[in-house]
C-alpha cells in the first residue's frame, strides 16, 4: 500500500492510488500507464505528480506559460473541465468581454458564458493577450461540476521551489478522495 512517507512519485504509483480510492477505473489506469510505458516508473517530482492527474482524466491544468489567446483558450479549458466532470453541465457561448484599461496596467475583463443556459460572468484581470488569470480560470472550472455530483473541483497544492512557474491544477474529488490524496501523495487543498 502506498503512503506519503514514501516520497517517491511515479505515474505508476499515482495511477495505483487513483484506482484504489475510486477516482479512475482499472481500464483507465492501465491505458494511461500503457501510453506512459517508457517513463511510467521513472521518478517524478511532486509538481509532476500533481500534473499527472490530468493525464488520468481527473484534473485540468491552467497553464502558467503563454497560451494561444485569452479570447479562445478559456473555452477550451472549460470544455476540458466539463468533459472531466462527466459532461453533465453544458458550457456554451464562452467569450471574453474586454475592459477599458490597458493590458500593461492590468485590464479587468469579464469571462462570460452560459451554464446549462443560464448566463454567468467571472471577473478576470489580464496583463497580456496570452496568459490566463489563474483565479478566474479556476473559478470557471469549478462551475463545470453538476450540482448532484458528490465531487467538487479543488485546487491542488504541492511542494514548490522558489522562482519556478507552476500551472494551477484543479482536480475533481469527493472530500474522502481529497483526504486520501493528502495522506497518500502529500497534496494539499487550500480553502
Amino acid at each position: 500500500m502506498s503512503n506519503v512517507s514514501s516520497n517517491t512519485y511515479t505515474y505508476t504509483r499515482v495511477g495505483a492510488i487513483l484506482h484504489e480510492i475510486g477516482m479512475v477505473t482499472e481500464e483507465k489506469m492501465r491505458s494511461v500507464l500503457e501510453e506512459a510505458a517508457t517513463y511510467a516508473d521513472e521518478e517524478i517530482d511532486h509538481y509532476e505528480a500533481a500534473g499527472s492527474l490530468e493525464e488520468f482524466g481527473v484534473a485540468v491544468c491552467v497553464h502558467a506559460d503563454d497560451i494561444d489567446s485569452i479570447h479562445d483558450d478559456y473555452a477550451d479549458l472549460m470544455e476540458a473541465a466539463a468533459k472531466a466532470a462527466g459532461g453533465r453541465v453544458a458550457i456554451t457561448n464562452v467569450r471574453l468581454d474586454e475592459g477599458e484599461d490597458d493590458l500593461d496596467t492590468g485590464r479587468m475583463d469579464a469571462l462570460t458564458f452560459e451554464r446549462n443556459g443560464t448566463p454567468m460572468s467571472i471577473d478576470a484581470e489580464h496583463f497580456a493577450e496570452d496568459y490566463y488569470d489563474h483565479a478566474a480560470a479556476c473559478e470557471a472550472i469549478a462551475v463545470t461540476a453538476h450540482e448532484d455530483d458528490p465531487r467538487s473541483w479543488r485546487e491542488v497544492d504541492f511542494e514548490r521551489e522558489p522562482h519556478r512557474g507552476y500551472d494551477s491544477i484543479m482536480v475533481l474529488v469527493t472530500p474522502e478522495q481529497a483526504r486520501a490524496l493528502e495522506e497518500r501523495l502529500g497534496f494539499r487543498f487550500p480553502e
Side-chain angles (χ1 to χ4, degrees):
M1 211 186 251
S2 303
N3 61 43
V4 77
S5 63
S6 169
N7 288 327
T8 302
Y9 305 101
T10 65
Y11 270 69
T12 300
R13 179 174 179 225
V14 171
I17 290 170
L18 293 177
H19 175 62
E20 288 169 17
I21 65 175
M23 290 182 68
V24 297
T25 64
E26 184 172 350
E27 180 182 22
K28 178 65 175 179
M29 177 191 70
R30 288 187 189 282
S31 72
V32 171
L33 294 178
E34 283 172 13
E35 282 189 36
T38 59
Y39 55 88
D41 292 316
E42 291 179 13
E43 188 171 344
I44 56 178
D45 68 21
H46 205 216
Y47 170 58
E48 293 167 322
S52 75
L53 298 174
E54 185 175 42
E55 299 300 320
F56 286 98
V58 297
V60 176
C61 294
V62 180
H63 297 293
D65 292 331
D66 60 338
I67 58 175
D68 291 334
S69 167
I70 55 176
H71 293 282
D72 300 324
D73 286 17
Y74 281 104
D76 294 340
L77 186 68
M78 294 181 75
E79 181 181 328
K83 182 179 177 185
R88 295 177 58 207
V89 171
I91 302 294
T92 56
N93 301 319
V94 179
R95 71 179 185 282
L96 191 71
D97 296 329
E98 291 185 10
E100 300 288 319
D101 295 327
D102 188 32
L103 284 172
D104 294 339
T105 57
R107 183 180 71 204
M108 288 307 298
D109 298 331
L111 176 61
T112 62
F113 54 93
E114 292 179 13
R115 181 187 187 277
N116 290 337
T118 301
M120 299 188 78
S121 180
I122 296 173
D123 292 335
E125 185 174 19
H126 295 108
F127 293 89
E129 291 283 337
D130 55 355
Y131 285 89
Y132 287 119
D133 173 331
H134 279 241
C138 291
E139 188 177 340
I141 289 167
V143 304
T144 64
H146 194 272
E147 296 82 12
D148 294 343
D149 196 328
R151 303 169 301 168
S152 62
W153 287 103
R154 308 226 9 222
E155 188 170 357
V156 180
D157 198 11
F158 39 82
E159 296 168 6
R160 296 175 187 262
E161 298 172 15
H163 313 295
R164 181 176 172 190
Y166 293 96
D167 292 349
S168 295
I169 301 169
M170 297 286 287
V171 63
L172 189 62
V173 291
T174 66
E176 297 78 18
Q177 290 167 338
R179 275 194 301 280
L181 291 175
E182 287 174 341
E183 292 167 1
R184 300 188 61 193
L185 289 172
F187 298 141
R188 297 174 304 278
F189 300 95
E191 294 301 321

